[in-house]
mmCIF file of all heavy atoms in Angstrom:
data_model
loop_
_atom_site.group_PDB
_atom_site.id
_atom_site.type_symbol
_atom_site.label_atom_id
_atom_site.label_comp_id
_atom_site.label_asym_id
_atom_site.label_seq_id
_atom_site.Cartn_x
_atom_site.Cartn_y
_atom_site.Cartn_z
ATOM 1 N N GLY A 406 95.509 -12.878 176.093
ATOM 2 C CA GLY A 406 95.233 -13.390 177.389
ATOM 3 C C GLY A 406 95.044 -14.896 177.420
ATOM 4 O O GLY A 406 94.453 -15.371 178.396
ATOM 5 N N SER A 407 95.307 -15.587 176.348
ATOM 6 C CA SER A 407 94.877 -16.961 176.193
ATOM 7 C C SER A 407 95.364 -17.868 177.311
ATOM 8 O O SER A 407 94.688 -18.786 177.715
ATOM 9 C CB SER A 407 95.230 -17.489 174.868
ATOM 10 O OG SER A 407 96.592 -17.349 174.613
ATOM 11 N N ILE A 408 96.616 -17.697 177.675
ATOM 12 C CA ILE A 408 97.243 -18.708 178.594
ATOM 13 C C ILE A 408 96.626 -18.671 179.918
ATOM 14 O O ILE A 408 96.658 -19.670 180.785
ATOM 15 C CB ILE A 408 98.734 -18.562 178.783
ATOM 16 C CG1 ILE A 408 99.105 -17.256 179.400
ATOM 17 C CG2 ILE A 408 99.509 -18.759 177.460
ATOM 18 C CD1 ILE A 408 100.282 -17.346 180.325
ATOM 19 N N ALA A 409 95.805 -17.663 180.265
ATOM 20 C CA ALA A 409 95.178 -17.570 181.541
ATOM 21 C C ALA A 409 93.762 -18.258 181.674
ATOM 22 O O ALA A 409 93.105 -18.118 182.640
ATOM 23 C CB ALA A 409 95.054 -16.201 182.052
ATOM 24 N N VAL A 410 93.356 -18.978 180.551
ATOM 25 C CA VAL A 410 92.140 -19.703 180.583
ATOM 26 C C VAL A 410 92.475 -21.148 180.903
ATOM 27 O O VAL A 410 93.392 -21.717 180.293
ATOM 28 C CB VAL A 410 91.490 -19.576 179.226
ATOM 29 C CG1 VAL A 410 90.240 -20.433 179.149
ATOM 30 C CG2 VAL A 410 91.172 -18.102 178.820
ATOM 31 N N SER A 411 91.694 -21.706 181.842
ATOM 32 C CA SER A 411 91.981 -23.124 182.121
ATOM 33 C C SER A 411 91.538 -24.141 181.077
ATOM 34 O O SER A 411 90.696 -23.834 180.283
ATOM 35 C CB SER A 411 91.340 -23.410 183.504
ATOM 36 O OG SER A 411 89.976 -23.568 183.264
ATOM 37 N N ASP A 412 92.193 -25.290 181.109
ATOM 38 C CA ASP A 412 91.896 -26.323 180.116
ATOM 39 C C ASP A 412 90.364 -26.720 180.262
ATOM 40 O O ASP A 412 89.630 -26.921 179.272
ATOM 41 C CB ASP A 412 92.673 -27.593 180.357
ATOM 42 C CG ASP A 412 94.189 -27.314 180.153
ATOM 43 O OD1 ASP A 412 94.454 -26.215 179.611
ATOM 44 O OD2 ASP A 412 94.959 -28.076 180.504
ATOM 45 N N ASP A 413 89.956 -26.749 181.439
ATOM 46 C CA ASP A 413 88.517 -27.031 181.797
ATOM 47 C C ASP A 413 87.579 -26.110 181.123
ATOM 48 O O ASP A 413 86.493 -26.467 180.569
ATOM 49 C CB ASP A 413 88.415 -27.054 183.314
ATOM 50 C CG ASP A 413 87.218 -27.831 183.751
ATOM 51 O OD1 ASP A 413 86.899 -28.887 183.220
ATOM 52 O OD2 ASP A 413 86.417 -27.211 184.528
ATOM 53 N N ASP A 414 87.888 -24.812 181.238
ATOM 54 C CA ASP A 414 86.999 -23.913 180.539
ATOM 55 C C ASP A 414 86.961 -24.031 179.068
ATOM 56 O O ASP A 414 85.926 -23.929 178.510
ATOM 57 C CB ASP A 414 87.489 -22.435 180.868
ATOM 58 C CG ASP A 414 86.890 -21.888 182.189
ATOM 59 O OD1 ASP A 414 85.875 -22.566 182.624
ATOM 60 O OD2 ASP A 414 87.283 -20.892 182.720
ATOM 61 N N ALA A 415 88.154 -24.316 178.476
ATOM 62 C CA ALA A 415 88.188 -24.477 177.001
ATOM 63 C C ALA A 415 87.343 -25.627 176.611
ATOM 64 O O ALA A 415 86.482 -25.657 175.675
ATOM 65 C CB ALA A 415 89.657 -24.775 176.632
ATOM 66 N N LEU A 416 87.406 -26.688 177.431
ATOM 67 C CA LEU A 416 86.642 -27.926 177.123
ATOM 68 C C LEU A 416 85.137 -27.738 177.285
ATOM 69 O O LEU A 416 84.252 -28.127 176.489
ATOM 70 C CB LEU A 416 87.100 -29.124 178.023
ATOM 71 C CG LEU A 416 86.817 -30.523 177.583
ATOM 72 C CD1 LEU A 416 87.472 -30.734 176.292
ATOM 73 C CD2 LEU A 416 87.389 -31.452 178.642
ATOM 74 N N ARG A 417 84.859 -26.917 178.282
ATOM 75 C CA ARG A 417 83.414 -26.613 178.602
ATOM 76 C C ARG A 417 82.807 -25.829 177.415
ATOM 77 O O ARG A 417 81.635 -26.118 176.965
ATOM 78 C CB ARG A 417 83.312 -25.806 179.844
ATOM 79 C CG ARG A 417 81.958 -25.310 180.211
ATOM 80 C CD ARG A 417 81.671 -25.459 181.788
ATOM 81 N NE ARG A 417 82.791 -24.723 182.493
ATOM 82 C CZ ARG A 417 82.547 -23.554 183.067
ATOM 83 N NH1 ARG A 417 81.391 -22.981 182.987
ATOM 84 N NH2 ARG A 417 83.552 -22.984 183.780
ATOM 85 N N TYR A 418 83.543 -24.881 176.909
ATOM 86 C CA TYR A 418 82.995 -24.126 175.713
ATOM 87 C C TYR A 418 82.851 -25.034 174.525
ATOM 88 O O TYR A 418 81.864 -24.906 173.720
ATOM 89 C CB TYR A 418 83.931 -22.904 175.421
ATOM 90 C CG TYR A 418 83.623 -21.691 176.161
ATOM 91 C CD1 TYR A 418 84.161 -21.524 177.427
ATOM 92 C CD2 TYR A 418 82.720 -20.812 175.681
ATOM 93 C CE1 TYR A 418 83.829 -20.368 178.242
ATOM 94 C CE2 TYR A 418 82.426 -19.615 176.445
ATOM 95 C CZ TYR A 418 83.029 -19.427 177.662
ATOM 96 O OH TYR A 418 82.708 -18.305 178.401
ATOM 97 N N ILE A 419 83.869 -25.926 174.260
ATOM 98 C CA ILE A 419 83.707 -26.732 173.107
ATOM 99 C C ILE A 419 82.493 -27.698 173.283
ATOM 100 O O ILE A 419 81.741 -27.881 172.300
ATOM 101 C CB ILE A 419 85.014 -27.601 172.926
ATOM 102 C CG1 ILE A 419 86.193 -26.703 172.711
ATOM 103 C CG2 ILE A 419 84.891 -28.511 171.682
ATOM 104 C CD1 ILE A 419 87.561 -27.300 172.732
ATOM 105 N N ASP A 420 82.374 -28.159 174.474
ATOM 106 C CA ASP A 420 81.226 -29.068 174.786
ATOM 107 C C ASP A 420 79.888 -28.346 174.495
ATOM 108 O O ASP A 420 78.962 -28.802 173.892
ATOM 109 C CB ASP A 420 81.281 -29.349 176.325
ATOM 110 C CG ASP A 420 80.243 -30.431 176.614
ATOM 111 O OD1 ASP A 420 79.730 -31.080 175.733
ATOM 112 O OD2 ASP A 420 80.011 -30.642 177.849
ATOM 113 N N PHE A 421 79.886 -27.029 174.861
ATOM 114 C CA PHE A 421 78.670 -26.219 174.535
ATOM 115 C C PHE A 421 78.401 -26.118 173.073
ATOM 116 O O PHE A 421 77.280 -26.274 172.550
ATOM 117 C CB PHE A 421 78.889 -24.859 175.162
ATOM 118 C CG PHE A 421 77.853 -23.846 174.829
ATOM 119 C CD1 PHE A 421 76.566 -23.907 175.448
ATOM 120 C CD2 PHE A 421 78.115 -22.782 173.990
ATOM 121 C CE1 PHE A 421 75.646 -22.956 175.201
ATOM 122 C CE2 PHE A 421 77.097 -21.865 173.736
ATOM 123 C CZ PHE A 421 75.812 -21.918 174.385
ATOM 124 N N VAL A 422 79.431 -25.971 172.304
ATOM 125 C CA VAL A 422 79.254 -25.711 170.866
ATOM 126 C C VAL A 422 78.773 -27.015 170.171
ATOM 127 O O VAL A 422 78.112 -26.982 169.135
ATOM 128 C CB VAL A 422 80.601 -25.250 170.240
ATOM 129 C CG1 VAL A 422 80.518 -25.233 168.727
ATOM 130 C CG2 VAL A 422 80.967 -23.911 170.717
ATOM 131 N N TYR A 440 85.466 -32.026 170.349
ATOM 132 C CA TYR A 440 85.435 -32.188 171.763
ATOM 133 C C TYR A 440 86.168 -33.342 172.271
ATOM 134 O O TYR A 440 86.922 -33.299 173.228
ATOM 135 C CB TYR A 440 83.911 -32.188 172.162
ATOM 136 C CG TYR A 440 83.754 -32.572 173.600
ATOM 137 C CD1 TYR A 440 83.952 -31.571 174.624
ATOM 138 C CD2 TYR A 440 83.318 -33.843 174.068
ATOM 139 C CE1 TYR A 440 83.782 -31.900 175.956
ATOM 140 C CE2 TYR A 440 83.227 -34.176 175.345
ATOM 141 C CZ TYR A 440 83.422 -33.189 176.347
ATOM 142 O OH TYR A 440 83.361 -33.555 177.651
ATOM 143 N N THR A 443 89.861 -33.042 172.059
ATOM 144 C CA THR A 443 90.473 -32.084 172.967
ATOM 145 C C THR A 443 90.398 -32.684 174.321
ATOM 146 O O THR A 443 91.390 -32.591 175.133
ATOM 147 C CB THR A 443 89.669 -30.797 173.081
ATOM 148 O OG1 THR A 443 89.474 -30.322 171.653
ATOM 149 C CG2 THR A 443 90.307 -29.758 173.857
ATOM 150 N N TYR A 447 93.717 -33.057 176.738
ATOM 151 C CA TYR A 447 93.898 -32.456 178.046
ATOM 152 C C TYR A 447 94.103 -33.565 179.156
ATOM 153 O O TYR A 447 94.800 -33.331 180.141
ATOM 154 C CB TYR A 447 92.685 -31.644 178.437
ATOM 155 C CG TYR A 447 92.709 -30.232 177.735
ATOM 156 C CD1 TYR A 447 91.631 -29.658 177.250
ATOM 157 C CD2 TYR A 447 93.940 -29.569 177.611
ATOM 158 C CE1 TYR A 447 91.664 -28.405 176.640
ATOM 159 C CE2 TYR A 447 94.047 -28.272 176.964
ATOM 160 C CZ TYR A 447 92.912 -27.695 176.495
ATOM 161 O OH TYR A 447 92.982 -26.476 175.915
ATOM 162 N N GLU A 456 100.874 -26.189 174.056
ATOM 163 C CA GLU A 456 99.504 -26.259 173.652
ATOM 164 C C GLU A 456 99.287 -26.078 172.230
ATOM 165 O O GLU A 456 99.846 -25.095 171.671
ATOM 166 C CB GLU A 456 98.675 -25.278 174.451
ATOM 167 C CG GLU A 456 97.252 -25.403 174.236
ATOM 168 C CD GLU A 456 96.544 -25.267 175.673
ATOM 169 O OE1 GLU A 456 97.254 -25.159 176.692
ATOM 170 O OE2 GLU A 456 95.261 -25.271 175.607
ATOM 171 N N LEU A 460 93.872 -24.737 170.180
ATOM 172 C CA LEU A 460 93.335 -24.707 171.475
ATOM 173 C C LEU A 460 93.593 -23.316 172.126
ATOM 174 O O LEU A 460 92.748 -22.858 172.869
ATOM 175 C CB LEU A 460 93.855 -25.827 172.360
ATOM 176 C CG LEU A 460 93.428 -27.250 171.888
ATOM 177 C CD1 LEU A 460 93.843 -28.339 172.893
ATOM 178 C CD2 LEU A 460 91.889 -27.367 171.713
ATOM 179 N N ILE A 463 91.105 -21.093 170.871
ATOM 180 C CA ILE A 463 89.833 -21.198 171.536
ATOM 181 C C ILE A 463 89.832 -20.414 172.936
ATOM 182 O O ILE A 463 88.904 -19.732 173.189
ATOM 183 C CB ILE A 463 89.450 -22.656 171.825
ATOM 184 C CG1 ILE A 463 89.047 -23.332 170.443
ATOM 185 C CG2 ILE A 463 88.342 -22.839 172.763
ATOM 186 C CD1 ILE A 463 88.884 -24.748 170.482
ATOM 187 N N LYS A 464 90.975 -20.618 173.564
ATOM 188 C CA LYS A 464 91.060 -19.828 174.852
ATOM 189 C C LYS A 464 90.996 -18.310 174.640
ATOM 190 O O LYS A 464 90.403 -17.571 175.390
ATOM 191 C CB LYS A 464 92.365 -20.198 175.593
ATOM 192 C CG LYS A 464 92.306 -21.715 176.035
ATOM 193 C CD LYS A 464 93.578 -22.090 176.829
ATOM 194 C CE LYS A 464 93.269 -23.486 177.465
ATOM 195 N NZ LYS A 464 94.514 -23.921 178.178
ATOM 196 N N ALA A 465 91.692 -17.851 173.509
ATOM 197 C CA ALA A 465 91.692 -16.423 173.194
ATOM 198 C C ALA A 465 90.256 -16.010 172.898
ATOM 199 O O ALA A 465 89.881 -14.871 173.316
ATOM 200 C CB ALA A 465 92.584 -16.169 172.056
ATOM 201 N N ALA A 466 89.499 -16.862 172.226
ATOM 202 C CA ALA A 466 88.122 -16.499 171.815
ATOM 203 C C ALA A 466 87.302 -16.434 173.102
ATOM 204 O O ALA A 466 86.360 -15.541 173.112
ATOM 205 C CB ALA A 466 87.629 -17.627 170.896
ATOM 206 N N ILE A 467 87.527 -17.242 174.044
ATOM 207 C CA ILE A 467 86.766 -17.177 175.322
ATOM 208 C C ILE A 467 86.971 -15.809 175.969
ATOM 209 O O ILE A 467 86.026 -15.067 176.386
ATOM 210 C CB ILE A 467 87.178 -18.323 176.275
ATOM 211 C CG1 ILE A 467 86.753 -19.717 175.691
ATOM 212 C CG2 ILE A 467 86.609 -18.068 177.660
ATOM 213 C CD1 ILE A 467 87.269 -20.880 176.484
ATOM 214 N N ARG A 468 88.256 -15.370 175.985
ATOM 215 C CA ARG A 468 88.504 -14.100 176.585
ATOM 216 C C ARG A 468 87.943 -12.910 175.783
ATOM 217 O O ARG A 468 87.550 -11.923 176.342
ATOM 218 C CB ARG A 468 90.009 -13.901 176.847
ATOM 219 C CG ARG A 468 90.514 -14.984 177.854
ATOM 220 C CD ARG A 468 91.737 -14.467 178.644
ATOM 221 N NE ARG A 468 91.266 -13.445 179.602
ATOM 222 C CZ ARG A 468 92.175 -12.853 180.492
ATOM 223 N NH1 ARG A 468 93.466 -13.243 180.485
ATOM 224 N NH2 ARG A 468 91.709 -11.968 181.277
ATOM 225 N N GLU A 471 84.345 -12.608 176.511
ATOM 226 C CA GLU A 471 84.133 -11.943 177.831
ATOM 227 C C GLU A 471 84.349 -10.436 177.790
ATOM 228 O O GLU A 471 83.631 -9.664 178.367
ATOM 229 C CB GLU A 471 85.088 -12.591 178.859
ATOM 230 C CG GLU A 471 84.741 -14.037 179.256
ATOM 231 C CD GLU A 471 85.894 -14.799 180.036
ATOM 232 O OE1 GLU A 471 86.904 -14.209 180.169
ATOM 233 O OE2 GLU A 471 85.585 -15.844 180.586
ATOM 234 N N ARG A 597 81.944 -10.149 184.233
ATOM 235 C CA ARG A 597 81.781 -10.658 182.885
ATOM 236 C C ARG A 597 83.038 -11.498 182.399
ATOM 237 O O ARG A 597 82.864 -12.242 181.489
ATOM 238 C CB ARG A 597 81.595 -9.523 181.791
ATOM 239 C CG ARG A 597 80.348 -8.654 182.076
ATOM 240 C CD ARG A 597 79.119 -9.490 182.132
ATOM 241 N NE ARG A 597 77.811 -8.894 181.992
ATOM 242 C CZ ARG A 597 77.024 -8.426 182.988
ATOM 243 N NH1 ARG A 597 77.448 -8.611 184.209
ATOM 244 N NH2 ARG A 597 75.880 -7.916 182.720
ATOM 245 N N HIS A 598 84.082 -11.298 183.109
ATOM 246 C CA HIS A 598 85.320 -12.066 182.710
ATOM 247 C C HIS A 598 85.297 -13.352 183.604
ATOM 248 O O HIS A 598 86.129 -13.540 184.487
ATOM 249 C CB HIS A 598 86.519 -11.228 182.986
ATOM 250 C CG HIS A 598 86.704 -9.972 182.134
ATOM 251 N ND1 HIS A 598 87.176 -10.085 180.835
ATOM 252 C CD2 HIS A 598 86.131 -8.735 182.322
ATOM 253 C CE1 HIS A 598 87.088 -8.904 180.298
ATOM 254 N NE2 HIS A 598 86.431 -8.102 181.072
ATOM 255 N N GLN A 599 84.427 -14.167 183.134
ATOM 256 C CA GLN A 599 84.205 -15.421 184.052
ATOM 257 C C GLN A 599 85.402 -16.323 184.107
ATOM 258 O O GLN A 599 85.557 -16.961 185.143
ATOM 259 C CB GLN A 599 83.019 -16.199 183.385
ATOM 260 C CG GLN A 599 81.676 -15.750 183.900
ATOM 261 C CD GLN A 599 80.471 -16.406 183.257
ATOM 262 O OE1 GLN A 599 80.682 -17.186 182.305
ATOM 263 N NE2 GLN A 599 79.374 -16.128 183.727
ATOM 264 N N SER A 600 86.212 -16.381 183.036
ATOM 265 C CA SER A 600 87.233 -17.423 183.065
ATOM 266 C C SER A 600 88.335 -16.892 184.083
ATOM 267 O O SER A 600 89.187 -17.650 184.496
ATOM 268 C CB SER A 600 87.929 -17.524 181.648
ATOM 269 O OG SER A 600 88.587 -16.280 181.344
ATOM 270 N N GLN A 601 88.268 -15.655 184.552
ATOM 271 C CA GLN A 601 89.279 -15.101 185.427
ATOM 272 C C GLN A 601 88.633 -15.072 186.884
ATOM 273 O O GLN A 601 89.321 -14.465 187.810
ATOM 274 C CB GLN A 601 89.681 -13.738 185.105
ATOM 275 C CG GLN A 601 90.249 -13.744 183.684
ATOM 276 C CD GLN A 601 91.388 -14.792 183.472
ATOM 277 O OE1 GLN A 601 92.474 -14.693 184.103
ATOM 278 N NE2 GLN A 601 91.158 -15.734 182.598
ATOM 279 N N LYS A 602 87.526 -15.672 187.005
ATOM 280 C CA LYS A 602 86.892 -15.701 188.459
ATOM 281 C C LYS A 602 87.105 -16.993 189.111
ATOM 282 O O LYS A 602 87.565 -18.020 188.484
ATOM 283 C CB LYS A 602 85.458 -15.416 188.251
ATOM 284 C CG LYS A 602 84.969 -14.005 188.344
ATOM 285 C CD LYS A 602 83.445 -13.823 188.507
ATOM 286 C CE LYS A 602 82.906 -14.226 189.950
ATOM 287 N NZ LYS A 602 83.603 -14.279 191.126
ATOM 288 N N ASP A 603 86.777 -17.085 190.359
ATOM 289 C CA ASP A 603 86.797 -18.311 191.160
ATOM 290 C C ASP A 603 88.103 -19.069 191.058
ATOM 291 O O ASP A 603 88.136 -20.142 190.518
ATOM 292 C CB ASP A 603 85.623 -19.243 190.734
ATOM 293 C CG ASP A 603 84.231 -18.507 190.821
ATOM 294 O OD1 ASP A 603 84.190 -17.578 191.735
ATOM 295 O OD2 ASP A 603 83.373 -18.737 190.084
ATOM 296 N N GLY A 604 89.136 -18.429 191.433
ATOM 297 C CA GLY A 604 90.474 -19.087 191.484
ATOM 298 C C GLY A 604 91.097 -19.207 190.059
ATOM 299 O O GLY A 604 91.236 -20.212 189.429
ATOM 300 N N ALA A 605 91.217 -18.055 189.449
ATOM 301 C CA ALA A 605 91.804 -17.970 188.104
ATOM 302 C C ALA A 605 93.211 -18.559 188.158
ATOM 303 O O ALA A 605 93.823 -18.767 189.299
ATOM 304 C CB ALA A 605 91.921 -16.563 187.567
ATOM 305 N N MET A 606 93.866 -18.701 186.996
ATOM 306 C CA MET A 606 95.165 -19.463 187.029
ATOM 307 C C MET A 606 96.360 -18.648 187.555
ATOM 308 O O MET A 606 97.185 -19.235 188.185
ATOM 309 C CB MET A 606 95.493 -19.927 185.552
ATOM 310 C CG MET A 606 94.501 -20.965 185.086
ATOM 311 S SD MET A 606 94.833 -21.333 183.466
ATOM 312 C CE MET A 606 96.313 -22.274 183.649
#
Side-chain angles (χ1 to χ4, degrees):
S407 58
I408 63 145
V410 176
S411 70
D412 298 347
D413 194 46
D414 270 347
L416 202 57
R417 179 140 52 104
Y418 273 87
I419 300 173
D420 190 15
F421 174 72
V422 173
Y440 171 77
T443 312
Y447 283 142
E456 188 135 355
L460 293 186
I463 287 172
K464 291 183 172 179
I467 292 172
R468 296 212 68 179
E471 291 171 345
R597 297 304 194 267
H598 295 274
Q599 273 175 353
S600 69
Q601 303 306 299
K602 267 195 71 25
D603 304 329
M606 291 177 71

